[in-house]
Amino acid sequence: MAIRTMTRKHKVITDDSDLELYAQLIQEDAAAHEALTQLYRRYSQRIYTYCRKITGDNYVAEDLLQETFVKLLDSGRQGRVIENFPAYLMTIARNLCLSHKARSVRQFVPVEDFHLTARDVPYEQKELLQLIQTALEILPEPYREAFVLREYNGLSYLEIADVIGESIDVVKVRIFRAKKKLRDVLAPYLNDLKTRTDD
Amino acid sequence: MEPLDDLDLPTPEGHLHAFMDGELDIQAEQPLFDELASNPALRGEMRDILAIRSAVHRDVVAPPATVEAALLAAAGLSTASAGAATTAAAATIAAHGSSSLAVSLRYALGGVAAGAAIVYFLMSGTTGDVQRGAVLPPPQASTGIAGEPRIDTLRVEVPIVDHAAINAQRNQLARERANIAQAWTDLRAAQDAFLRDRDAAAQESRTPVEPVVATAQTQMAILTMQASVIQPAQVTAFPTRSFEVSDPLPLQIRFRTLASGLRSDEAIPASVRDAALPNTALSISLPLSEEHRVGVEFGREAFRQQFRTTLNGRPVEYLQTPTLFWFGANYQFVAQSIFGLDGLRPFIESTIGYALEQGPLARAAAGLQYRPIGPIAFSLGFDASALTFKHDGLWQSTTKSGFTTGISIDIGSWP
């Protein structure tokens, strides 16, 4: 079994824009490798978080994250022209999540899959995170998605509208209602938290 | 889905949320600040939203480092030499007898890269089954990107089902089943002939035949025949249509176009032009066996109706092309692959149905179906249909024929 370790000699392209990196996906393997790696490191966290929040399963989220970037690479190799890279990437991830949800029977997810991975978070914050997670799960799917895209992924209303294929007004309303519902659900805890903080 | 009564969100709350999302018009900012200064409830809401946002932003989860390595491998961009890796992977897998993995590997996404990933896996010294998140010893040589965290776990995925191999196996099993069925038929015929001869001989000679000997001979013949054509392993390998309760039904959904029935020089009637999806049909079917399917089909189709009758005692001729909705029961037979091409199979099918407000309808089609890889199949065939309908108490009929093209997708489980 002969394995060669390839030494990378091509230039570091960390300063390139998303679209410049995307354009390099069509090039030879070394350049495409570097470009895909950079894009992955820029966006994997967002995509992973989105998939995790939408599917509720860390393992599935990993699969969908990988599949998202494979599809991105395919698009780049085919020379598909895009204008808004984050929205395009998020659209791929969203479609994969929707496909996954459509073909998978709803299953109970082991409790350990809902573990919170935030590090160095105060106990109250961890508790709040858990409550937010629970509250998110009871939100209607469109509201949850809009909230996740806005708060976890940092997309603007316009970008969210592009991703989910709705008008910006619908996006605005969904985010507003999602936050209102979250606040309604979490209000007792938030009041208690405030009281403890004041004390 | 939702009534957008709060579409413009002109309330202070709406402005507050828009402001916190960086989406509020600058002209609306000062009124919001004024409102915040005088409205404790609004400040409370702002504080709550900030608390939620702060918690959310701390919920930072980076994907495991293994995903990046698996991605590069799946994308065919692993740093290992792809060709050498694939060859080495195949050789090593063969050496370990993991033929099923090797078969799947052929159709894995970016097969070359999957080979590289497997080589990476094998180089780490583990020879057991590849499992999700299997903990491996540190790799002997770094094949990752310089400076990135060492990869302690590796998950090799083969996400694409090897439909070609499954089809070939199904075809092989179907042929073997046909051979066995034929052997059984021959055996039954031989047994019947033997019994007939025995009875005839007994009738003629009136000499009692030793029944024990005859039975023993028959059983021996049966056993001999079974031994010659039936291998136990093959019998147990027959694909059976048994499903777990939790398995989704193996449905096939097909959309196909139907002949218009209009001549090329004929203007398209408004009834056809204005109809949604005219001359199309959708079917949903379930398999009875490898070759046979039954299901339901419904469609929207234009039928040219030309007939003569009388109106107020005067002979009149009607010519119309209504677009009708019909539905019915559908049966499909798809034969084994032909021309040595896996996936290319002839088919015939028929549908018996009813066209709303018209009458019974029957249609039949024959053609070729091609399933390249995966659950999607394409079909091209010739379709003929007949519709009967009643006018002024008299039954009329019309027929048409033409090409039909279809696309189908298998969903659900196929054990």
Short mmCIF file of all heavy atoms in Angstrom, two decimals, chain A residues 41-72:
data_model
loop_
_atom_site.label_atom_id
_atom_site.label_comp_id
_atom_site.label_asym_id
_atom_site.label_seq_id
_atom_site.Cartn_x
_atom_site.Cartn_y
_atom_site.Cartn_z
N ARG A 41 -14.42 26.45 6.39
CA ARG A 41 -14.07 27.01 7.70
C ARG A 41 -14.83 28.30 7.98
O ARG A 41 -15.07 28.66 9.12
CB ARG A 41 -12.56 27.22 7.78
CG ARG A 41 -11.86 25.88 7.85
CD ARG A 41 -10.38 25.97 7.89
NE ARG A 41 -9.81 24.63 7.98
CZ ARG A 41 -8.52 24.38 7.97
NH1 ARG A 41 -7.65 25.37 7.88
NH2 ARG A 41 -8.09 23.15 8.05
N ARG A 42 -15.20 28.98 6.90
CA ARG A 42 -15.97 30.21 7.11
C ARG A 42 -17.43 29.90 7.47
O ARG A 42 -18.05 30.63 8.23
CB ARG A 42 -15.95 31.08 5.85
CG ARG A 42 -14.65 31.79 5.64
CD ARG A 42 -14.69 32.66 4.40
NE ARG A 42 -13.36 33.09 4.04
CZ ARG A 42 -13.08 33.85 2.99
NH1 ARG A 42 -14.05 34.23 2.19
NH2 ARG A 42 -11.83 34.20 2.73
N TYR A 43 -17.97 28.89 6.86
CA TYR A 43 -19.42 28.71 6.95
C TYR A 43 -19.88 27.43 7.64
O TYR A 43 -21.07 27.27 7.86
CB TYR A 43 -20.03 28.76 5.54
CG TYR A 43 -20.02 30.15 4.98
CD1 TYR A 43 -19.03 30.56 4.11
CD2 TYR A 43 -21.00 31.07 5.34
CE1 TYR A 43 -19.00 31.85 3.61
CE2 TYR A 43 -20.99 32.36 4.84
CZ TYR A 43 -19.98 32.75 3.97
OH TYR A 43 -19.98 34.02 3.49
N SER A 44 -18.97 26.53 7.95
CA SER A 44 -19.42 25.24 8.47
C SER A 44 -20.19 25.40 9.77
O SER A 44 -21.17 24.69 10.02
CB SER A 44 -18.23 24.32 8.66
OG SER A 44 -17.30 24.88 9.55
N GLN A 45 -19.72 26.33 10.60
CA GLN A 45 -20.38 26.49 11.89
C GLN A 45 -21.83 26.94 11.73
O GLN A 45 -22.73 26.43 12.38
CB GLN A 45 -19.60 27.51 12.72
CG GLN A 45 -20.06 27.58 14.15
CD GLN A 45 -19.08 28.39 14.98
OE1 GLN A 45 -17.91 28.03 15.11
NE2 GLN A 45 -19.55 29.48 15.52
N ARG A 46 -22.02 27.88 10.82
CA ARG A 46 -23.37 28.38 10.59
C ARG A 46 -24.26 27.28 10.03
O ARG A 46 -25.40 27.08 10.46
CB ARG A 46 -23.36 29.53 9.58
CG ARG A 46 -22.72 30.78 10.10
CD ARG A 46 -22.96 31.89 9.10
NE ARG A 46 -21.90 32.88 9.10
CZ ARG A 46 -21.84 33.91 8.27
NH1 ARG A 46 -22.78 34.06 7.36
NH2 ARG A 46 -20.85 34.76 8.33
N ILE A 47 -23.73 26.59 9.02
CA ILE A 47 -24.55 25.56 8.38
C ILE A 47 -24.84 24.44 9.37
O ILE A 47 -25.97 23.93 9.45
CB ILE A 47 -23.82 24.98 7.15
CG1 ILE A 47 -23.50 26.09 6.15
CG2 ILE A 47 -24.65 23.89 6.48
CD1 ILE A 47 -24.71 26.75 5.56
N TYR A 48 -23.82 24.08 10.14
CA TYR A 48 -23.99 22.99 11.10
C TYR A 48 -25.03 23.38 12.15
O TYR A 48 -25.91 22.59 12.51
CB TYR A 48 -22.65 22.70 11.77
CG TYR A 48 -22.68 21.61 12.80
CD1 TYR A 48 -23.08 20.32 12.45
CD2 TYR A 48 -22.31 21.85 14.11
CE1 TYR A 48 -23.09 19.31 13.40
CE2 TYR A 48 -22.32 20.85 15.06
CZ TYR A 48 -22.72 19.59 14.70
OH TYR A 48 -22.74 18.59 15.63
N THR A 49 -24.93 24.60 12.62
CA THR A 49 -25.90 25.07 13.62
C THR A 49 -27.31 25.05 13.06
O THR A 49 -28.25 24.59 13.70
CB THR A 49 -25.54 26.49 14.08
OG1 THR A 49 -24.21 26.47 14.60
CG2 THR A 49 -26.49 26.98 15.14
N TYR A 50 -27.43 25.53 11.84
CA TYR A 50 -28.75 25.54 11.21
C TYR A 50 -29.31 24.12 11.10
O TYR A 50 -30.45 23.84 11.50
CB TYR A 50 -28.67 26.18 9.82
CG TYR A 50 -29.95 26.06 9.03
CD1 TYR A 50 -30.99 26.96 9.24
CD2 TYR A 50 -30.12 25.06 8.10
CE1 TYR A 50 -32.17 26.84 8.53
CE2 TYR A 50 -31.29 24.93 7.38
CZ TYR A 50 -32.32 25.83 7.60
OH TYR A 50 -33.48 25.70 6.89
N CYS A 51 -28.50 23.21 10.56
CA CYS A 51 -28.96 21.83 10.38
C CYS A 51 -29.31 21.20 11.73
O CYS A 51 -30.27 20.45 11.84
CB CYS A 51 -27.89 21.00 9.67
SG CYS A 51 -27.56 21.54 7.99
N ARG A 52 -28.50 21.52 12.73
CA ARG A 52 -28.72 20.94 14.05
C ARG A 52 -30.03 21.44 14.65
O ARG A 52 -30.80 20.68 15.23
CB ARG A 52 -27.56 21.33 14.96
CG ARG A 52 -27.31 20.43 16.14
CD ARG A 52 -25.98 20.75 16.77
NE ARG A 52 -25.92 22.13 17.21
CZ ARG A 52 -26.19 22.55 18.44
NH1 ARG A 52 -26.54 21.69 19.36
NH2 ARG A 52 -26.09 23.83 18.76
N LYS A 53 -30.27 22.73 14.47
CA LYS A 53 -31.48 23.29 15.04
C LYS A 53 -32.72 22.82 14.28
O LYS A 53 -33.80 22.69 14.85
CB LYS A 53 -31.43 24.82 15.01
CG LYS A 53 -30.37 25.39 15.92
CD LYS A 53 -30.66 25.08 17.37
CE LYS A 53 -29.51 25.49 18.27
NZ LYS A 53 -29.70 24.99 19.65
N ILE A 54 -32.59 22.64 12.98
CA ILE A 54 -33.76 22.26 12.19
C ILE A 54 -34.05 20.77 12.33
O ILE A 54 -35.20 20.36 12.43
CB ILE A 54 -33.56 22.64 10.70
CG1 ILE A 54 -33.42 24.17 10.57
CG2 ILE A 54 -34.70 22.13 9.85
CD1 ILE A 54 -34.62 24.95 11.02
N THR A 55 -32.99 19.95 12.31
CA THR A 55 -33.24 18.50 12.38
C THR A 55 -33.27 18.00 13.81
O THR A 55 -33.87 16.95 14.07
CB THR A 55 -32.14 17.73 11.63
OG1 THR A 55 -30.88 17.93 12.28
CG2 THR A 55 -32.04 18.20 10.18
N GLY A 56 -32.61 18.70 14.73
CA GLY A 56 -32.58 18.25 16.11
C GLY A 56 -31.69 17.05 16.33
O GLY A 56 -31.82 16.37 17.34
N ASP A 57 -30.81 16.77 15.39
CA ASP A 57 -29.97 15.58 15.51
C ASP A 57 -28.55 15.94 15.08
O ASP A 57 -28.32 16.33 13.93
CB ASP A 57 -30.53 14.46 14.62
CG ASP A 57 -29.78 13.16 14.80
OD1 ASP A 57 -28.55 13.19 14.97
OD2 ASP A 57 -30.42 12.09 14.76
N ASN A 58 -27.62 15.80 16.00
CA ASN A 58 -26.25 16.20 15.68
C ASN A 58 -25.64 15.36 14.56
O ASN A 58 -24.92 15.88 13.70
CB ASN A 58 -25.38 16.09 16.93
CG ASN A 58 -25.74 17.13 17.97
OD1 ASN A 58 -26.53 18.03 17.70
ND2 ASN A 58 -25.18 17.00 19.15
N TYR A 59 -25.90 14.07 14.58
CA TYR A 59 -25.31 13.21 13.56
C TYR A 59 -25.87 13.53 12.17
O TYR A 59 -25.14 13.59 11.18
CB TYR A 59 -25.56 11.73 13.89
CG TYR A 59 -24.73 11.25 15.05
CD1 TYR A 59 -25.31 10.52 16.08
CD2 TYR A 59 -23.37 11.52 15.13
CE1 TYR A 59 -24.56 10.07 17.16
CE2 TYR A 59 -22.62 11.08 16.20
CZ TYR A 59 -23.21 10.36 17.21
OH TYR A 59 -22.47 9.93 18.26
N VAL A 60 -27.19 13.71 12.14
CA VAL A 60 -27.80 14.08 10.85
C VAL A 60 -27.24 15.42 10.39
O VAL A 60 -26.96 15.63 9.21
CB VAL A 60 -29.33 14.14 10.98
CG1 VAL A 60 -29.96 14.74 9.74
CG2 VAL A 60 -29.89 12.75 11.24
N ALA A 61 -27.08 16.34 11.34
CA ALA A 61 -26.54 17.66 10.99
C ALA A 61 -25.14 17.52 10.37
O ALA A 61 -24.81 18.24 9.42
CB ALA A 61 -26.52 18.55 12.22
N GLU A 62 -24.35 16.64 10.92
CA GLU A 62 -23.00 16.42 10.34
C GLU A 62 -23.11 15.92 8.91
O GLU A 62 -22.38 16.36 8.01
CB GLU A 62 -22.23 15.41 11.19
CG GLU A 62 -21.82 15.94 12.54
CD GLU A 62 -21.21 14.85 13.41
OE1 GLU A 62 -20.71 13.86 12.84
OE2 GLU A 62 -21.26 14.97 14.65
N ASP A 63 -24.01 14.96 8.70
CA ASP A 63 -24.19 14.43 7.34
C ASP A 63 -24.63 15.53 6.38
O ASP A 63 -24.12 15.65 5.26
CB ASP A 63 -25.24 13.31 7.35
CG ASP A 63 -24.73 12.08 8.07
OD1 ASP A 63 -23.52 11.99 8.29
OD2 ASP A 63 -25.56 11.22 8.43
N LEU A 64 -25.61 16.31 6.83
CA LEU A 64 -26.14 17.35 5.95
C LEU A 64 -25.12 18.45 5.70
O LEU A 64 -25.06 19.01 4.61
CB LEU A 64 -27.42 17.92 6.55
CG LEU A 64 -28.58 16.93 6.66
CD1 LEU A 64 -29.79 17.58 7.33
CD2 LEU A 64 -28.97 16.39 5.29
N LEU A 65 -24.32 18.73 6.71
CA LEU A 65 -23.24 19.71 6.53
C LEU A 65 -22.29 19.24 5.43
O LEU A 65 -21.94 20.01 4.52
CB LEU A 65 -22.50 19.88 7.85
CG LEU A 65 -21.17 20.66 7.79
CD1 LEU A 65 -21.42 22.11 7.41
CD2 LEU A 65 -20.44 20.59 9.13
N GLN A 66 -21.90 18.00 5.53
CA GLN A 66 -20.98 17.46 4.52
C GLN A 66 -21.62 17.48 3.13
O GLN A 66 -21.00 17.90 2.15
CB GLN A 66 -20.61 16.04 4.91
CG GLN A 66 -19.66 15.37 3.92
CD GLN A 66 -19.32 13.95 4.37
OE1 GLN A 66 -19.24 13.69 5.55
NE2 GLN A 66 -19.12 13.07 3.43
N GLU A 67 -22.88 17.08 3.09
CA GLU A 67 -23.56 17.02 1.81
C GLU A 67 -23.73 18.41 1.20
O GLU A 67 -23.66 18.60 -0.01
CB GLU A 67 -24.93 16.36 2.01
CG GLU A 67 -25.44 15.64 0.79
CD GLU A 67 -26.70 14.82 1.08
OE1 GLU A 67 -26.87 14.38 2.24
OE2 GLU A 67 -27.48 14.65 0.17
N THR A 68 -23.95 19.38 2.06
CA THR A 68 -24.10 20.76 1.59
C THR A 68 -22.85 21.22 0.85
O THR A 68 -22.93 21.78 -0.26
CB THR A 68 -24.36 21.70 2.79
OG1 THR A 68 -25.56 21.31 3.43
CG2 THR A 68 -24.47 23.14 2.33
N PHE A 69 -21.71 20.94 1.42
CA PHE A 69 -20.47 21.41 0.79
C PHE A 69 -20.11 20.57 -0.44
O PHE A 69 -19.47 21.07 -1.37
CB PHE A 69 -19.34 21.45 1.81
CG PHE A 69 -19.37 22.68 2.66
CD1 PHE A 69 -20.09 22.72 3.83
CD2 PHE A 69 -18.73 23.84 2.25
CE1 PHE A 69 -20.17 23.87 4.59
CE2 PHE A 69 -18.79 24.99 3.01
CZ PHE A 69 -19.51 25.01 4.19
N VAL A 70 -20.51 19.32 -0.44
CA VAL A 70 -20.30 18.52 -1.66
C VAL A 70 -21.13 19.09 -2.79
O VAL A 70 -20.67 19.23 -3.93
CB VAL A 70 -20.66 17.04 -1.40
CG1 VAL A 70 -20.70 16.27 -2.72
CG2 VAL A 70 -19.65 16.39 -0.46
N LYS A 71 -22.37 19.47 -2.47
CA LYS A 71 -23.21 20.06 -3.51
C LYS A 71 -22.67 21.43 -3.94
O LYS A 71 -22.76 21.79 -5.11
CB LYS A 71 -24.65 20.21 -3.00
CG LYS A 71 -25.42 18.90 -2.99
CD LYS A 71 -26.88 19.13 -2.69
CE LYS A 71 -27.63 17.80 -2.71
NZ LYS A 71 -27.61 17.16 -4.03
N LEU A 72 -22.13 22.15 -2.99
CA LEU A 72 -21.52 23.44 -3.35
C LEU A 72 -20.37 23.20 -4.32
O LEU A 72 -20.23 23.92 -5.32
CB LEU A 72 -21.01 24.13 -2.09
CG LEU A 72 -20.24 25.43 -2.34
CD1 LEU A 72 -21.20 26.53 -2.76
CD2 LEU A 72 -19.47 25.85 -1.10
#
